[in-house]
Amino acid sequence: MFSKNIIFKNFKSKIDKKQKIDLENILKKENLIKKYPLLKSLTSQYEYSYNKKNIKNIKKFSSFNLIGMGGSTLGAEAIYDFLNHKIKKKFTFFNNLQNEKISKSKNKKVNLVVSKSGNTIETISNFNLILKKQNKNKNVIITEKKNSYLFKLAKKLKAEIFEHKNYIGGRYSVLSEVGMLPAELMGLHENKFKRYNNLLKNNLFVNLLIENVAFIYKSVKKNKKNSIILNYDKKSENLFKWYQQLTAESLGKQYKGLFPTISTMPKDNHSMLQFYLDGSRDNFFTFFIVRDKNPIKLDKNNLFDQFSVLKNKNLFKVLQAQKDATENVFNRKKIPYRTFEVLNRNEETLGELFCFFILETILLSRLLKLNPFNQPSVELIKKETRKILF
Ligand code: PA5
């Protein structure tokens, strides 16, 4: 357990002492925020480029279009789904090249366009189509302060512009204005997400993180590079899409890295599990489950013979039994895994998970000797596309 919100069971395996010491030195002796300024956004000391007063008008709206790609939207999507029970506002995400008709809308909405570079072709195209169909919407743009296409367009439209800090890369931006402005507009409390200071003061958390990173590094060194998420919580799918992007773009370079993939459980018991148990052994696993406070109960009728034990049982009990059973078999087959069991679905929990995975990625990049903040091959495709189109 690293907080009252999450029970964490670490990988069971001995780890290399040297890696442990290296990681301890980074976490306990270095001034991490000075070295990695983006980490400031994980604390409540971070200063946003907007203040409560200048978003008051935007907060009055009830419908929002969030337009952006990759790191510019995935964090907000993760928040919207994970905390959906607390959210009364309607968000529509435009997160891929939109090849469907955008409908006209009677209500005036807010277009929230997020792009650090201000030149991403999918974002510009989607925004263009929305402007045509929903021309009364209020436009709010989060972008770097530089003469990009989006910046010029924002000026032309007299849109509200908030700065995307240039030292915070897209996939690390969830706790900056990129994820926290949407969270505020959803009616959530941004300060509750900021768990960095509490977690780093917690020795148990720090030790679990170190052992976890040392295990993953050892695994990658042995060519076990597939990080497979066994996700038992539908509302966390976007959280793991966020994790997938964070890991793949940060560590997939110089022929190194992890291959993050997501399995939907228990559906994949009937599809992928055979391979996970008996197929090639180049994987390590993450079980992820969230305790359901209001689970649906099965009916007492039409359940007989051996199925009569399910009378009035709730579906979460069934789900948990399936997860526990899978862990038991993994133990018997000595397949490496860690488990997150979330007890409370709230801002604090999500903030802790964001913080855990961001630190995990940065620490792995140190051991793998990689720059986690660039994405040379993403840029390559952007350039090649421009060569063809422009
Ligand atoms: O994490 C990243 O850096 C990328 O996924 C970007 O977020 C994505 O390519 C979109 O770029 P931009 O925010 O410049 O539109």
Side-chain angles (χ1 to χ4, degrees), residues 261-273:
T261 114
I262 309 162
S263 234
T264 306
M265 300 299 279
K267 177 176 78 63
D268 282 356
N269 277 348
H270 309 274
S271 145
M272 301 297 291
L273 205 81

Side-chain angles (χ1 to χ4, degrees), residues 34 101 206 229 291 373:
K34 200 160 173 219
K101 282 211 168 132
V206 171
I229 310 291
R291 272 199 205 162
F373 306 119

Side-chain angles (χ1 to χ4, degrees), residues 69-72 114-118 120 123 169-171 245 249 375 378 382:
M69 296 301 299
S72 289
V114 187
S115 173
K116 182 172 192 288
S117 63
T120 300
T123 306
R171 58 192 175 276
Q245 190 228 0
E249 275 193 1
Q375 54 280 332
V378 177
K382 286 187 180 177

